[in-house]
Amino acid sequence: EPEVTQTPSHQVTQMGQEVILRCVPISNHLYFYWYRQILGQKVEFLVSFYNNEISEKSEIFDDQFSVERPDGSNFTLKIRSTKLEDSAMYFCASSVRAIGVTQYFGPGTRLTVL
Amino acid sequence: AQSVTQLGSHVSVSEGALVLLRCNYSSSVPPYLFWYVQYPNQGLQLLLKYTTGATLVKGINGFEAEFKKSETSFHLTKPSAHMSDAAEYFCAVSDRANAGGTSYGKLTFGQGTILTVHP
């Protein structure tokens, strides 16, 4: 069964460093998402991406964050200058369309900012 | 803005007992409703969803949920718990469409409920 994959599974970085989290969505999916879950808190929406542009973003997704789909298969989340409060589990998800369908989630990348 | 409330951050049941995980939502228009499960060190997996039609929906692993518009609820049940059901369960909602007639599928999640099953 097709699945969403994410790399790395765990990333440790120093505050102020740039990190890139990578995702490979399911191949025929058109809508892509990033969510995060700070330890002990809710899963929170960050951004949705369709047709090579951001379709919606949350207030969390500020100028320090960016997403791109560089080669038609990978979907990346970049954090330019990490902060301690960026430590969280980051989930990528994809779906065939936006409305009322299953979003398939990857296993997540645990980001630890020291 | 939508919100989701899951009553009880931890629920503990005995093997074979009824599982009931509660979810209430707040939305001006009834949204699409989802239950996801997360096993340790794994991603979120869809258990079931309600989009339209029959309000009682059946999902994987013997779970089901009933959409009750009057109560703005979507509680998850399973008649008989199994040890393998131990996991964290998330209720989520998404818009049917925004004012512009498009919706991009953003999921809004509840806090999650950790289910423990005792032998």
Side-chain angles (χ1 to χ4, degrees), chain A residues 31 33 35 37 40-45 48 50 55-56 89 91 98-108, chain B residues 4 32 34 36 38 41-44 46 49 51 88 90 94-97 102-107 109-111:
Chain A
Y31 292 82
Y33 306 86
Y35 295 84
Q37 185 181 27
Q41 298 186 23
K42 290 185 181 186
V43 177
E44 302 172 289
F45 168 78
S48 60
Y50 169 70
S55 47
E56 189 174 5
M89 181 73 88
F91 293 105
I99 302 174
V101 296
T102 302
Q103 287 183 23
Y104 291 84
F105 282 76
Chain B
V4 180
Y32 294 117
F34 304 83
Y36 280 85
Q38 184 180 29
N41 301 313
Q42 295 186 28
L44 297 160
L46 183 75
K49 65 185 178 192
T51 56
E88 188 163 16
F90 294 93
S94 71
D95 277 332
R96 290 181 177 272
T102 58
S103 173
Y104 304 107
K106 175 184 77 173
L107 290 172
F109 285 87
Q111 292 274 22

Side-chain angles (χ1 to χ4, degrees), chain A residues 27-50:
Chain A
S27 62
N28 64 332
H29 287 187
L30 300 176
Y31 292 82
F32 313 109
Y33 306 86
W34 284 101
Y35 295 84
R36 79 172 186 189
Q37 185 181 27
I38 295 171
L39 190 64
Q41 298 186 23
K42 290 185 181 186
V43 177
E44 302 172 289
F45 168 78
L46 291 178
V47 65
S48 60
F49 191 84
Y50 169 70

